[in-house]
Amino acid sequence: MRTAAAIPPTTGGPNLRTRRFLRRLTLATGGGMFIDGFVFASVAAALAGSAMSRDIGVTSTWSALISSSTLLGTFAGGLLLGYVTDRLGRRPMFTIDLSVFLGCAVLMLFVTAPWHLFVLGLVMGVAVGADYSIGSPLLCEFVPSARRGHYLGILEILWNVGYVVAYLIGFLINSHWPGAWHITLAASAVPAVFCLLVRHGLPESPRWLISKGRRNEAIAIIEHDLDATAEIEDFSAEQPERTRYRSLFSADYLGRTVFVCTFWMCIVLPYFALTFFQPTVLKAIGLGGSALAGAVLGTVIALLGAATGWYLVDRVGRRKILIWPMFGCALALFLVSLGHLLPIWLSTVCFFGYLFSYGIMSILPGIYPEEVFPTSIRTSGVGLASAASRIGAAAGTFLLPISLVHLGLTWSMIFMGTVSLIGGATALAWAPETNGMKLTETAHRDAHRVKRTIARVPLAESVGR
């Protein structure tokens, strides 16, 4: 049998060149997450001020549609372009999606009607959804297993950083230059340009190349970019395999598909709704004129929670920082639902407690889906899960302002708390512990068989192209 070149063995820890490459790749993929959080908060901050609504006539209906537009676009982008990425490769889609986003961000400077905002938000959401299904799987396919949570967790932290930065910019503009709301909406063009520059020249995923039978190309990338950090036994266990979208719903992977879709939806449905309309919720609690400043503080608290989760994820594992924070979110929201029965300060503390608990587990949508699907359908699985989460997020964002008006704070918070409770129960029943395991172990339908296979594959053994 004709054999391809052998994957070379490694000799030690990561050298300087490899560390630089991984830092650059993390910055390139994390930039997309930063931009996602940034654009979502930009729209929220612009809507929180009165100038934009007055200038272009944003009604309550248009406000709900605009707030949901990027989420609906993310649904379409993740669902469709994740599969395209598994077919065509990570590298080309990694540039195309961000270029589309940049064009739409620039057009935000010329918005003159609510429908302009809705359409541009929809297209930007498609680009963001594509980036969700491309960026974190690409990084996941390069980093060593012992540090996978560390690197992937950075991406989710950058989402929160992007949200905080954009919300702060929007707060300052609303406070001092309310007529400059166009700047708030278009500011995401700046990080998009920077991110495109960082992404230029990045290589294709060697795991994807191996899954398509292009082993020699994969070896060249491993030798040039990964060098001593490559887990050769794990790369050797990758096998060429066709991309079939229906595999996500096969007996082998259906349980994982349901799990990642459900837990991700239960994380983001309450969060997107409650943070998008944070000033409204805080006013309903009783903060009054301090609501907008309280919303800025809330975004910082969520960021602190994300930093805590990032610190813990490779130390205590994935499962623990999903289950208990999810139940913590449910408890905090149920307490907020008591409304007038609690002092305003206690209701506010409970709401911020929800945001901190959310932050801890918020890094896991960037880790779990990437770990439980094989290379041939990894971006398809991540894209489907992100699409499902955006259905929930869009529904929550659309319904919350209506619910607050017609049902009040109590029933709105009970509903959001129930969603978190369902998420906690789902995690308790189905969440696997993947901490420290190799990617071919966590992603394969039969982890025990893969462990035996890895043990048998010599470092220099090759698989036919």
Side-chain angles (χ1 to χ4, degrees), residues 274-293:
L274 293 173
T275 56
F276 203 97
F277 296 104
Q278 232 183 131
T280 304
V281 173
L282 292 172
K283 284 179 182 178
I285 289 174
L287 280 189
S290 304
L292 190 56

PDB file of all heavy atoms in Angstrom, residues 274-293:
ATOM      1  N   LEU A 274     -32.255  39.592  29.011  1.00  0.00           N
ATOM      2  CA  LEU A 274     -32.098  40.415  30.213  1.00  0.00           C
ATOM      3  C   LEU A 274     -31.016  41.475  30.062  1.00  0.00           C
ATOM      4  O   LEU A 274     -31.120  42.562  30.644  1.00  0.00           O
ATOM      5  CB  LEU A 274     -31.788  39.519  31.415  1.00  0.00           C
ATOM      6  CG  LEU A 274     -32.934  38.591  31.844  1.00  0.00           C
ATOM      7  CD1 LEU A 274     -32.468  37.621  32.922  1.00  0.00           C
ATOM      8  CD2 LEU A 274     -34.135  39.394  32.328  1.00  0.00           C
ATOM      9  N   THR A 275     -29.964  41.187  29.290  1.00  0.00           N
ATOM     10  CA  THR A 275     -28.913  42.188  29.126  1.00  0.00           C
ATOM     11  C   THR A 275     -29.250  43.203  28.041  1.00  0.00           C
ATOM     12  O   THR A 275     -28.859  44.363  28.135  1.00  0.00           O
ATOM     13  CB  THR A 275     -27.553  41.532  28.812  1.00  0.00           C
ATOM     14  OG1 THR A 275     -27.673  40.697  27.661  1.00  0.00           O
ATOM     15  CG2 THR A 275     -27.072  40.731  30.000  1.00  0.00           C
ATOM     16  N   PHE A 276     -29.955  42.750  27.003  1.00  0.00           N
ATOM     17  CA  PHE A 276     -30.344  43.696  25.960  1.00  0.00           C
ATOM     18  C   PHE A 276     -31.259  44.762  26.538  1.00  0.00           C
ATOM     19  O   PHE A 276     -31.159  45.938  26.187  1.00  0.00           O
ATOM     20  CB  PHE A 276     -31.051  42.964  24.811  1.00  0.00           C
ATOM     21  CG  PHE A 276     -30.985  43.708  23.511  1.00  0.00           C
ATOM     22  CD1 PHE A 276     -30.035  43.402  22.563  1.00  0.00           C
ATOM     23  CD2 PHE A 276     -31.874  44.736  23.234  1.00  0.00           C
ATOM     24  CE1 PHE A 276     -29.960  44.101  21.363  1.00  0.00           C
ATOM     25  CE2 PHE A 276     -31.820  45.449  22.046  1.00  0.00           C
ATOM     26  CZ  PHE A 276     -30.857  45.127  21.100  1.00  0.00           C
ATOM     27  N   PHE A 277     -32.145  44.356  27.444  1.00  0.00           N
ATOM     28  CA  PHE A 277     -33.082  45.293  28.062  1.00  0.00           C
ATOM     29  C   PHE A 277     -32.755  45.493  29.545  1.00  0.00           C
ATOM     30  O   PHE A 277     -33.646  45.667  30.367  1.00  0.00           O
ATOM     31  CB  PHE A 277     -34.518  44.792  27.882  1.00  0.00           C
ATOM     32  CG  PHE A 277     -34.945  44.742  26.443  1.00  0.00           C
ATOM     33  CD1 PHE A 277     -35.016  43.533  25.777  1.00  0.00           C
ATOM     34  CD2 PHE A 277     -35.256  45.901  25.752  1.00  0.00           C
ATOM     35  CE1 PHE A 277     -35.405  43.477  24.440  1.00  0.00           C
ATOM     36  CE2 PHE A 277     -35.643  45.860  24.420  1.00  0.00           C
ATOM     37  CZ  PHE A 277     -35.714  44.647  23.762  1.00  0.00           C
ATOM     38  N   GLN A 278     -31.443  45.472  29.851  1.00  0.00           N
ATOM     39  CA  GLN A 278     -31.017  45.625  31.238  1.00  0.00           C
ATOM     40  C   GLN A 278     -31.538  46.903  31.894  1.00  0.00           C
ATOM     41  O   GLN A 278     -32.039  46.859  33.024  1.00  0.00           O
ATOM     42  CB  GLN A 278     -29.483  45.595  31.315  1.00  0.00           C
ATOM     43  CG  GLN A 278     -28.957  44.585  32.327  1.00  0.00           C
ATOM     44  CD  GLN A 278     -27.444  44.608  32.447  1.00  0.00           C
ATOM     45  OE1 GLN A 278     -26.920  44.666  33.541  1.00  0.00           O
ATOM     46  NE2 GLN A 278     -26.756  44.570  31.330  1.00  0.00           N
ATOM     47  N   PRO A 279     -31.459  48.066  31.229  1.00  0.00           N
ATOM     48  CA  PRO A 279     -31.998  49.270  31.870  1.00  0.00           C
ATOM     49  C   PRO A 279     -33.487  49.149  32.204  1.00  0.00           C
ATOM     50  O   PRO A 279     -33.932  49.590  33.269  1.00  0.00           O
ATOM     51  CB  PRO A 279     -31.746  50.361  30.815  1.00  0.00           C
ATOM     52  CG  PRO A 279     -30.609  49.856  30.002  1.00  0.00           C
ATOM     53  CD  PRO A 279     -30.802  48.372  29.944  1.00  0.00           C
ATOM     54  N   THR A 280     -34.247  48.511  31.292  1.00  0.00           N
ATOM     55  CA  THR A 280     -35.683  48.335  31.525  1.00  0.00           C
ATOM     56  C   THR A 280     -35.925  47.424  32.722  1.00  0.00           C
ATOM     57  O   THR A 280     -36.790  47.701  33.576  1.00  0.00           O
ATOM     58  CB  THR A 280     -36.353  47.750  30.276  1.00  0.00           C
ATOM     59  OG1 THR A 280     -36.076  48.590  29.144  1.00  0.00           O
ATOM     60  CG2 THR A 280     -37.865  47.643  30.460  1.00  0.00           C
ATOM     61  N   VAL A 281     -35.167  46.324  32.804  1.00  0.00           N
ATOM     62  CA  VAL A 281     -35.328  45.387  33.917  1.00  0.00           C
ATOM     63  C   VAL A 281     -34.953  46.064  35.232  1.00  0.00           C
ATOM     64  O   VAL A 281     -35.660  45.935  36.241  1.00  0.00           O
ATOM     65  CB  VAL A 281     -34.461  44.130  33.693  1.00  0.00           C
ATOM     66  CG1 VAL A 281     -34.492  43.218  34.921  1.00  0.00           C
ATOM     67  CG2 VAL A 281     -34.937  43.365  32.465  1.00  0.00           C
ATOM     68  N   LEU A 282     -33.842  46.797  35.249  1.00  0.00           N
ATOM     69  CA  LEU A 282     -33.399  47.462  36.477  1.00  0.00           C
ATOM     70  C   LEU A 282     -34.376  48.560  36.913  1.00  0.00           C
ATOM     71  O   LEU A 282     -34.569  48.792  38.104  1.00  0.00           O
ATOM     72  CB  LEU A 282     -31.990  48.023  36.289  1.00  0.00           C
ATOM     73  CG  LEU A 282     -30.885  46.958  36.154  1.00  0.00           C
ATOM     74  CD1 LEU A 282     -29.561  47.599  35.788  1.00  0.00           C
ATOM     75  CD2 LEU A 282     -30.742  46.146  37.432  1.00  0.00           C
ATOM     76  N   LYS A 283     -35.004  49.216  35.937  1.00  0.00           N
ATOM     77  CA  LYS A 283     -36.046  50.187  36.296  1.00  0.00           C
ATOM     78  C   LYS A 283     -37.244  49.476  36.914  1.00  0.00           C
ATOM     79  O   LYS A 283     -37.849  49.973  37.876  1.00  0.00           O
ATOM     80  CB  LYS A 283     -36.479  50.964  35.058  1.00  0.00           C
ATOM     81  CG  LYS A 283     -35.491  52.023  34.613  1.00  0.00           C
ATOM     82  CD  LYS A 283     -35.975  52.736  33.359  1.00  0.00           C
ATOM     83  CE  LYS A 283     -34.944  53.765  32.890  1.00  0.00           C
ATOM     84  NZ  LYS A 283     -35.363  54.439  31.632  1.00  0.00           N
ATOM     85  N   ALA A 284     -37.592  48.289  36.367  1.00  0.00           N
ATOM     86  CA  ALA A 284     -38.704  47.521  36.931  1.00  0.00           C
ATOM     87  C   ALA A 284     -38.394  47.063  38.350  1.00  0.00           C
ATOM     88  O   ALA A 284     -39.288  46.983  39.209  1.00  0.00           O
ATOM     89  CB  ALA A 284     -39.012  46.321  36.035  1.00  0.00           C
ATOM     90  N   ILE A 285     -37.107  46.781  38.625  1.00  0.00           N
ATOM     91  CA  ILE A 285     -36.704  46.425  39.986  1.00  0.00           C
ATOM     92  C   ILE A 285     -36.829  47.622  40.923  1.00  0.00           C
ATOM     93  O   ILE A 285     -37.132  47.470  42.106  1.00  0.00           O
ATOM     94  CB  ILE A 285     -35.255  45.883  39.983  1.00  0.00           C
ATOM     95  CG1 ILE A 285     -35.221  44.494  39.316  1.00  0.00           C
ATOM     96  CG2 ILE A 285     -34.691  45.790  41.393  1.00  0.00           C
ATOM     97  CD1 ILE A 285     -33.831  43.938  39.126  1.00  0.00           C
ATOM     98  N   GLY A 286     -36.590  48.841  40.359  1.00  0.00           N
ATOM     99  CA  GLY A 286     -36.751  50.044  41.171  1.00  0.00           C
ATOM    100  C   GLY A 286     -35.570  50.980  41.185  1.00  0.00           C
ATOM    101  O   GLY A 286     -35.538  51.929  41.968  1.00  0.00           O
ATOM    102  N   LEU A 287     -34.562  50.755  40.278  1.00  0.00           N
ATOM    103  CA  LEU A 287     -33.381  51.611  40.303  1.00  0.00           C
ATOM    104  C   LEU A 287     -33.638  53.002  39.743  1.00  0.00           C
ATOM    105  O   LEU A 287     -32.903  53.934  40.031  1.00  0.00           O
ATOM    106  CB  LEU A 287     -32.233  50.950  39.528  1.00  0.00           C
ATOM    107  CG  LEU A 287     -31.443  49.866  40.260  1.00  0.00           C
ATOM    108  CD1 LEU A 287     -30.233  49.473  39.445  1.00  0.00           C
ATOM    109  CD2 LEU A 287     -31.010  50.326  41.639  1.00  0.00           C
ATOM    110  N   GLY A 288     -34.625  53.153  38.874  1.00  0.00           N
ATOM    111  CA  GLY A 288     -34.967  54.468  38.346  1.00  0.00           C
ATOM    112  C   GLY A 288     -33.867  55.061  37.499  1.00  0.00           C
ATOM    113  O   GLY A 288     -33.366  54.446  36.559  1.00  0.00           O
ATOM    114  N   GLY A 289     -33.417  56.290  37.834  1.00  0.00           N
ATOM    115  CA  GLY A 289     -32.442  57.006  37.023  1.00  0.00           C
ATOM    116  C   GLY A 289     -31.071  56.370  36.986  1.00  0.00           C
ATOM    117  O   GLY A 289     -30.238  56.729  36.152  1.00  0.00           O
ATOM    118  N   SER A 290     -30.794  55.431  37.876  1.00  0.00           N
ATOM    119  CA  SER A 290     -29.478  54.769  37.899  1.00  0.00           C
ATOM    120  C   SER A 290     -29.440  53.510  37.035  1.00  0.00           C
ATOM    121  O   SER A 290     -28.439  52.790  37.033  1.00  0.00           O
ATOM    122  CB  SER A 290     -29.119  54.392  39.341  1.00  0.00           C
ATOM    123  OG  SER A 290     -29.141  55.516  40.178  1.00  0.00           O
ATOM    124  N   ALA A 291     -30.517  53.252  36.276  1.00  0.00           N
ATOM    125  CA  ALA A 291     -30.634  51.979  35.563  1.00  0.00           C
ATOM    126  C   ALA A 291     -29.560  51.807  34.495  1.00  0.00           C
ATOM    127  O   ALA A 291     -28.968  50.736  34.362  1.00  0.00           O
ATOM    128  CB  ALA A 291     -32.026  51.854  34.945  1.00  0.00           C
ATOM    129  N   LEU A 292     -29.284  52.867  33.711  1.00  0.00           N
ATOM    130  CA  LEU A 292     -28.300  52.737  32.635  1.00  0.00           C
ATOM    131  C   LEU A 292     -26.898  52.504  33.198  1.00  0.00           C
ATOM    132  O   LEU A 292     -26.155  51.657  32.705  1.00  0.00           O
ATOM    133  CB  LEU A 292     -28.320  53.983  31.746  1.00  0.00           C
ATOM    134  CG  LEU A 292     -27.508  53.898  30.444  1.00  0.00           C
ATOM    135  CD1 LEU A 292     -27.959  52.705  29.605  1.00  0.00           C
ATOM    136  CD2 LEU A 292     -27.636  55.193  29.647  1.00  0.00           C
ATOM    137  N   ALA A 293     -26.536  53.233  34.252  1.00  0.00           N
ATOM    138  CA  ALA A 293     -25.238  53.001  34.899  1.00  0.00           C
ATOM    139  C   ALA A 293     -25.194  51.608  35.515  1.00  0.00           C
ATOM    140  O   ALA A 293     -24.159  50.923  35.479  1.00  0.00           O
ATOM    141  CB  ALA A 293     -24.995  54.063  35.969  1.00  0.00           C
TER     142      ALA A 293
END
